[in-house]
Amino acid sequence: MSADNIYIALLHGPVYDKKGRVTVTSIVNTDIHDIARCARTFGIKRFYIVSPIEEQRMLAEKILGHWQSGFGSTYNPSRKEAFSLVDLKGSLDEVLTDIQQRADQDVRIVVTGARLTGACLSATDLRQRVQSEECSYLLVFGTGWGLAETILSKAHFRLEPIGGSGEYNHLPVRAAVAILLDRLWGR
């Protein structure tokens, strides 16, 4: 199964904090590295890091520059390859515009999160849709305590949360991305 019409976005805002307030979280270096490597491993078309804070995007740009064209690009060429998929944007709307320009087809937004409720697709259901429809899919992952309702309301589909062995359910986002990509496109 090819994931060449699949894009992922990691939103740092608007998301919820632990008290349920809408906020913006900081970009985390390990998320950039680990999610880029997952995206490359599973053949994802593009990985977007989304933050409305320009200074956060500038920091991420420095990290990306080190691995795309700086010393890191020769020190670790496979990291450079993974980082070639990464793009920085200020909003989900900017991501959607970019995908529409790249793919020239409709984009379906799929959200997920540990606390999602209501009608959700399983990974199997989503995989079948992707295989049968001629459109692009954007998998949107949130940071903090989950995507804000303004983002959830834009979704075409909700992907069921990853469940563990008990009540505790607060995976690092990079682990959730890896698990879901494997469920969707792993061998």
Side-chain angles (χ1 to χ4, degrees):
M1 153 111 203
S2 173
D4 61 353
N5 63 335
I6 307 300
Y7 301 79
I8 58 177
L10 179 62
L11 261 70
H12 291 276
V15 296
Y16 292 117
D17 68 12
K18 65 182 174 180
K19 293 183 179 181
R21 299 174 298 202
V22 175
T23 191
V24 177
T25 61
S26 297
I27 293 174
V28 177
N29 190 10
T30 51
D31 288 345
I32 299 171
H33 286 258
D34 292 351
I35 296 173
R37 291 162 57 196
C38 289
R40 178 62 187 97
T41 297
F42 288 98
I44 300 301
K45 191 77 167 181
R46 200 110 190 109
F47 164 39
Y48 297 93
I49 299 169
V50 183
S51 175
I53 299 174
E54 183 178 359
E55 292 82 1
Q56 285 287 305
R57 293 192 310 274
M58 290 169 55
L59 174 63
E61 189 67 46
K62 286 182 182 182
I63 295 167
L64 293 173
H66 172 77
W67 294 101
Q68 291 172 334
S69 59
F71 172 74
S73 67
T74 55
Y75 177 74
N76 190 339
S78 69
R79 188 72 45 98
K80 176 182 178 180
E81 183 179 350
F83 274 44
S84 72
L85 301 176
V86 181
D87 202 350
L88 301 169
K89 298 294 181 194
S91 69
L92 180 60
D93 288 338
E94 288 180 23
V95 171
L96 294 170
T97 298
D98 191 65
I99 294 171
Q100 288 166 339
Q101 290 173 347
R102 288 175 186 274
D104 194 30
Q105 59 186 193
D106 291 338
V107 180
R108 303 280 187 266
I109 300 170
V110 181
V111 295
T112 191
R115 291 168 190 76
L116 281 186
T117 58
C120 293
L121 292 177
S122 69
T124 301
D125 292 337
L126 180 59
R127 183 174 48 249
Q128 290 171 348
R129 283 185 174 278
V130 169
Q131 290 173 331
S132 66
E133 294 180 3
E134 292 292 325
C135 60
S136 295
Y137 284 83
L138 173 64
L139 303 179
V140 181
F141 296 88
T143 56
W145 290 73
L147 297 166
E149 183 57 39
T150 56
I151 300 299
L152 296 175
S153 67
K154 293 181 180 188
H156 296 91
F157 305 106
R158 291 173 178 228
L159 189 58
E160 66 187 4
I162 297 168
S165 63
E167 293 297 315
Y168 187 89
N169 192 8
H170 197 73
L171 288 170
V173 69
R174 58 191 171 277
V177 170
I179 290 166
L180 286 173
L181 291 181
D182 183 64
R183 286 182 180 173
L184 291 165
W185 294 285
R187 288 184 243 160

